[in-house]
Structure formats: structure tokens, C-alpha cells
Amino acid sequence: SKVLSKKVLVAVGAFVNSRKLLPAGADGQHVTLEVTGWKTQTVQMEIGEGDAARLQGMPSVIFRDEKRWCYLLPPIQYPDGKTIIKLGANTIQSLTDGGGRELPTHEEVVQWYRGEGDVDLKEMNLGMLHEIVPDLTPLNVRSNTCVTAHTPTTLPFIGPVLRQSGPLTVATGGNGYAAKSSDEI
């Protein structure tokens, strides 16, 4: 079937080159962007009422030292009644060169999302969470795999894909910098 629109925004992160989502150029080939998916992972810790009360008013945090970086969201109470504090992190090396965490193909991105993730990265993330917010008493801990979309310039691609594409715009390549805000963006 056909869908008509005056404007289209393609914002699919690391999946931007996975399908023929972008138009064909003058040569007839579909456009691909210099975007590579990189593995990352989050830790979500369910906390009790005491920890939630103690952390009331906590801001979102972005932390970086010589070897690692993270974003940390304040406790959020979800519709199921659980209060979760979330941290996403990786090594500094992974920010600069992928750190061996590149996912160059659609199949590798899908496999990473469907997998259990990296146990060492989960433990690093959990350790950072306890370091930044000491004395937490977790009720439950889980980890999710994520993929960040990276560009060679570390700047995102935001704009028309081709001059002749008219109202087709792409927004991708956040380079991991907006992960903490991605739901809202």
C-alpha cells in the first residue's frame, strides 16, 4: 500500500541503513549514511520506598572519568508501581573508537538486541551505580542491551537526505550523547 505525506522524518537510530528506508540517489542506489551501531547496555535497579524517599529530587546525572562514562536517571515510579533507577554506561574507549563494540550489520544489531548482553559490562555498570549512589538496597536488578548510532564526526545527521528528496529528513547519529533523554526526544 502507499502512504502519502507532506513531510517525513526518518529517526531509527542504528537501523538507518538496515533497510531501504532512504531514497535512491541519481545513480539509482539507495542512500546509506556513515552511521555505525555500537553495543551498550543499561542497568535498571528496582528500589524500595526508603531509597526512593532518600533520592527524591535527585537530578539526572552525566558522569565521566578517565576510563568510563555514564548517564544516571533519578528514581522513576512506573505504572506497575515499581520504582527504578537506571544507569547506562560504557568505557571511554568505546566513545572514541567503538572499543570492539561495533555492530556493522543489521543482523548483528538484531542479534545484540535479542541477546543477554555483556556480563562484564553489566557488572561495570552496576558497580558505577553503587559508586555514584552508595548504600542502595536493590529489590531487583536487570540489564538491557542498547545500541547507540555513531557518526565519523561525532555530530548527528539531521537534515534532508538529498536535495531532490524534498520533505524527507533524517535524524540519527546521536553518538550516545542523548541516550538518557531518548524517550523524550
Side-chain angles (χ1 to χ4, degrees):
S1 69
K2 200 177 226 185
V3 176
L4 301 175
S5 174
K6 290 183 180 181
K7 295 182 180 180
V8 175
L9 173 64
V10 177
V12 294
F15 288 100
V16 72
N17 294 322
S18 294
R19 301 280 190 258
K20 294 179 180 177
L21 298 173
L22 304 180
D27 62 359
Q29 296 295 315
H30 283 271
V31 172
T32 58
L33 301 176
E34 287 187 79
V35 175
T36 304
W38 290 358
K39 298 176 189 178
T40 190
Q41 207 160 319
T42 64
V43 169
Q44 298 92 38
M45 180 185 288
E46 181 184 354
I47 58 174
E49 290 179 16
D51 280 333
R54 179 171 65 96
L55 300 173
Q56 186 176 10
M58 175 184 151
S60 295
V61 174
I62 295 177
F63 169 85
R64 183 176 178 156
D65 65 17
E66 307 80 44
K67 294 185 179 181
R68 60 215 169 131
W69 66 270
C70 77
Y71 68 87
L72 176 62
L73 298 182
I76 298 169
Q77 186 172 27
Y78 287 86
D80 64 3
K82 295 178 181 178
T83 301
I84 307 290
I85 188 167
K86 177 181 173 183
L87 178 136
N90 222 318
T91 63
I92 293 297
Q93 180 184 5
S94 72
L95 280 179
T96 57
D97 68 3
R101 300 187 181 282
E102 299 87 355
L103 297 165
T105 68
H106 172 76
E107 291 75 21
E108 289 172 283
V109 171
V110 170
Q111 183 179 5
W112 174 250
Y113 270 121
R114 289 181 178 164
E116 296 295 317
D118 181 323
V119 174
D120 292 336
L121 187 54
K122 176 185 176 183
E123 292 305 315
M124 181 191 85
N125 291 355
L126 192 55
M128 285 182 74
L129 179 54
H130 282 294
E131 185 179 327
I132 295 168
V133 186
D135 303 321
L136 286 172
T137 304
L139 302 178
N140 186 25
V141 176
R142 66 180 182 163
S143 184
N144 287 337
T145 55
C146 301
V147 177
T148 53
H150 292 260
T151 65
T153 64
T154 70
L155 297 173
F157 288 124
I158 303 173
V161 179
L162 298 169
R163 288 182 194 189
Q164 68 268 25
S165 70
L168 181 66
T169 301
V170 67
T172 190
N175 298 282
Y177 295 116
K180 76 170 188 59
S181 309
S182 62
D183 290 348
E184 286 73 19
I185 293 172

